[in-house]
Amino acid sequence: MISRRKMLKALAGIPILGTLATTAQFSPPDTLNSKAVPNLFDELGIEPIINARGTMTYLSGSLMLPEVVQAIQSTSHDFANMYEVQDKVGERIAELLNAEAAMVTSGAAGALTLGTAACITGDDPEKIEMLPNLPGPQKEVIIPKEHRYVFDHAVRCAGVKLVEVDGPEEMEEAINENTVMALYFNGAASWFGLEEYSIPHEQFVAIGKKHGVPTFNDAAADVTPVENLFKYQEMGFDLVTFSGGKMLRGPQSAGILLGRKDLIEAAKLNFNPHESPIGRSMKVNKEEIFAMLVALESYLEKDHEKEWQEWIDRTVEITRIVERVPTVEGETHIHDGPANHFPGLKVRWDQTRVKISPTELAEQLRTGSPRIEVGGNDEELNIAVVTLKPEQVSVVGERIREVLQGAV
Ligand SMILES: *Cc1c(COP(=O)(O)O)cnc(C)c1O
C-alpha cells in the first residue's frame, strides 16, 4: 500500500499538473450538475413564442447568434479586470467601425444616459459623483421638436432639461452656457412618418461644431444596412449608439456607444466598474461585453445580400400559403428606414368575405398554439420575417391561412 503522502509526492512529479494549470482557463470553474440542465421554459410554464413582430424588447429582442452564445460560454470561466475588458473590447470595436473610440453599454438606452453624463461631467470626479443633481442652473440638451420620443427619458435621467427646437435658427438661438449636448433621433422619420427633418443631419452637426456642443445620434435600430454603422461618425456626430440586441443579434442587454475619445473616456468614468457613478446601475457583465464584439464582427462579415434575399424569399413563401384563401393578398414591403429598414410582409383581405379583422387575427395567433406574435391594425397584418427561424416561416404562413380560412 502506498501512503497518501507518498502518493501526493509522486503525483507532484507528474507533468499533468502543469497541463492542468495551463488548460484551467478554458475549463469551467465548477463541474456541471447534469440535473441543472432542465428545460426552464417548460419548468416555469413559459411557452416559447414565434416572433413575427420584430426586434421588440418585450419579445426578448433578437436571438443571439451561436458564436455570440459561444463567446459568453468561453469567457465565463475566468476572472478578468473589467477596466481592461472594456478598454480592449472598446478599442477593437472602434477599429472595426472607424471610430475614434467605442465602448459597450447596457443597450442603446444605457448609451444615451452615459453619453449625456459624459457631456456634462467630462473627467471631473466631483461632477461624476454628484450627477444627476449638479448645483447651479440645470444643464440643457437640445433636441429637434419632432424628435421627442420615449427613449429621451434615458437622456433626461442624467439630470438635464430637454430644449425643443424647430429648425436651424432656433437651434442656434437655443444654445447657451448651460447647453451640454444636442440629441438627434435618427429614426424619427420611421417612427413618426416624417417626410423630412426640420434640421438635416449635416446641418445639425455643423451647428454643434460651430458652438462646441457635442452632437449625439441615436441610431439604435438603424442596421441594416451595414453602412449605417460607419455613416454617422463619419458625418461628424460626436457620439453614436446602436443596440446590440436588435439586428446585430448580440446580447439583448448590450449596446455600442462610439465617438470622440474624450467623451468615451468620460462615459467610462460614469460607468461600471466604478462604484459610485450614475452608470453603476447599468452594468454589463464581461461575457456580454466580449459577446457584443463577436456579434459585431459576425455582422460585419455577413453576406448581407444573401440574407436580404432570404428575407424576401420568406415573404414570398408566406404569401403563397395565405393567398390560397379567397381575396387574401400578401405584399412584400420594404420599410423605408432609417429604422428597421428590411423586408417584411403586409397581408390584406376583403373583410366582408373573410370576416375577421387583422387585429382579431393577431390576437388569435397570440393566444393560439403555437404562440405567434404578429403586428396588425384594422387594415392589414404586419409580419416581420427577420426574427423568424427558417423552419418557422411555413408554420406562420399555415397558421394565418388556417385562421383566415375559418373566417370565410
Ligand atoms: C431600441 C431603441 C433604443 C433602446 O435600445 P436598447 O438597446 O433596447 O436599450 C433606443 N433608441 C431607439 C431609437 C431604439 O429603437
Side-chain angles (χ1 to χ4, degrees):
M1 271 276 257
I2 180 167
S3 79
R4 187 175 141 75
R5 189 187 291 172
K6 264 191 190 151
M7 185 159 106
L8 284 177
K9 254 190 168 168
L11 275 176
I14 297 176
I16 192 162
L17 281 180
T19 318
L20 273 181
T22 54
T23 54
Q25 61 182 319
F26 302 112
S27 58
D30 304 296
T31 36
L32 189 66
N33 171 359
S34 63
K35 275 187 286 182
V37 209
N39 182 331
L40 290 168
F41 278 92
D42 274 0
E43 197 166 280
L44 295 171
I46 297 167
E47 200 189 316
I49 290 170
I50 295 180
N51 179 6
R53 186 91 203 266
T55 57
M56 319 277 287
T57 294
Y58 89 97
L59 292 173
S60 65
S62 57
L63 296 180
M64 286 183 281
L65 292 165
E67 55 269 36
V68 174
V69 177
Q70 194 180 53
I72 289 176
Q73 276 270 355
S74 71
T75 55
S76 71
H77 304 152
D78 285 287
F79 293 97
N81 178 312
M82 290 301 283
Y83 295 105
E84 206 176 322
V85 172
Q86 186 66 266
D87 287 349
K88 295 266 162 72
V89 169
E91 274 168 32
R92 180 74 69 83
I93 291 176
E95 258 169 51
L96 288 169
L97 298 182
N98 299 332
E100 222 177 275
M103 65 189 288
V104 175
T105 57
S106 58
L112 289 171
T113 309
L114 293 182
T116 309
C119 291
I120 299 169
T121 65
D123 60 4
D124 181 336
E126 275 179 40
K127 288 182 181 162
I128 291 170
E129 170 67 27
M130 282 187 285
L131 216 64
N133 300 309
L134 291 186
Q138 197 176 13
K139 301 297 181 196
E140 297 176 7
V141 167
I142 288 173
I143 183 170
K145 197 166 103 200
E146 78 277 14
H147 291 217
R148 286 299 307 269
Y149 66 141
V150 287
F151 291 109
D152 66 41
H153 198 160
V155 169
R156 284 184 279 128
C157 73
V160 298
K161 174 167 82 182
L162 290 184
V163 177
E164 295 177 20
V165 297
D166 188 8
E169 290 82 33
E170 271 196 33
M171 180 173 172
E172 291 217 52
E173 281 164 21
I175 294 174
N176 65 68
E177 71 274 13
N178 299 318
T179 309
V180 290
M181 194 180 91
L183 175 66
Y184 208 78
F185 169 24
N186 205 52
S190 302
W191 277 36
F192 308 128
L194 308 173
E195 289 287 314
E196 57 184 20
Y197 292 138
S198 64
I199 313 171
H201 291 76
E202 286 84 353
Q203 200 169 7
F204 190 84
V205 167
I207 294 172
K209 291 214 185 303
K210 179 172 159 198
H211 296 275
V213 174
T215 49
F216 189 156
N217 192 357
D218 175 1
D222 301 358
V223 277
T224 61
V226 63
E227 297 84 68
N228 280 0
L229 285 170
F230 303 87
K231 187 169 171 182
Y232 303 109
Q233 61 272 29
E234 207 166 283
M235 218 178 241
F237 279 95
D238 298 294
L239 291 167
V240 183
T241 184
F242 292 96
S243 285
K246 291 177 181 164
M247 297 305 277
L248 292 176
R249 296 186 62 185
Q252 165 66 183
S253 41
I256 295 172
L257 176 62
L258 50 97
R260 238 168 65 190
K261 188 153 178 55
D262 62 320
L263 291 177
I264 297 295
E265 288 308 317
K268 284 186 201 164
L269 293 174
N270 279 283
F271 196 33
N272 281 281
H274 297 283
E275 286 177 327
S276 147
I278 197 165
R280 173 62 193 204
S281 50
M282 303 167 196
K283 194 186 278 182
V284 187
N285 65 26
K286 73 172 184 306
E287 293 80 1
E288 290 171 318
I289 294 178
F290 282 113
M292 185 66 252
L293 169 63
V294 170
L296 179 67
E297 285 173 340
S298 276
Y299 188 79
L300 292 170
E301 282 163 18
K302 176 179 278 184
D303 182 342
H304 293 97
E305 273 177 39
K306 178 163 161 260
E307 187 181 55
W308 189 272
Q309 188 55 49
E310 279 164 13
W311 290 333
I312 299 271
D313 293 347
R314 291 174 176 196
T315 65
V316 171
E317 183 179 348
I318 296 175
T319 296
R320 197 174 40 76
I321 299 170
V322 298
E323 284 189 349
R324 302 212 304 263
V325 181
T327 80
V328 175
E329 280 176 19
E331 183 204 337
T332 300
H333 169 81
I334 293 162
H335 196 281
D336 286 344
N340 300 313
H341 173 65
F342 39 69
L345 178 67
K346 290 180 182 298
V347 178
R348 301 183 196 92
W349 55 91
D350 179 349
Q351 292 180 43
T352 63
R353 294 191 51 200
V354 183
K355 296 187 186 63
I356 186 168
S357 75
T359 321
E360 286 164 346
L361 193 150
E363 186 56 23
Q364 285 206 27
L365 296 181
R366 187 172 299 124
T367 52
S369 181
R371 284 166 88 178
I372 300 172
E373 288 271 352
V374 298
N377 53 38
D378 289 343
E379 275 106 55
E380 64 198 15
L381 207 59
N382 284 304
I383 298 159
V385 294
V386 296
T387 40
L388 293 176
K389 296 195 257 186
E391 70 275 15
Q392 293 174 335
V393 176
S394 62
V395 175
V396 170
E398 291 297 348
R399 239 331 252 158
I400 294 171
R401 189 194 56 78
E402 185 182 34
V403 178
L404 286 170
Q405 194 67 56
V408 172

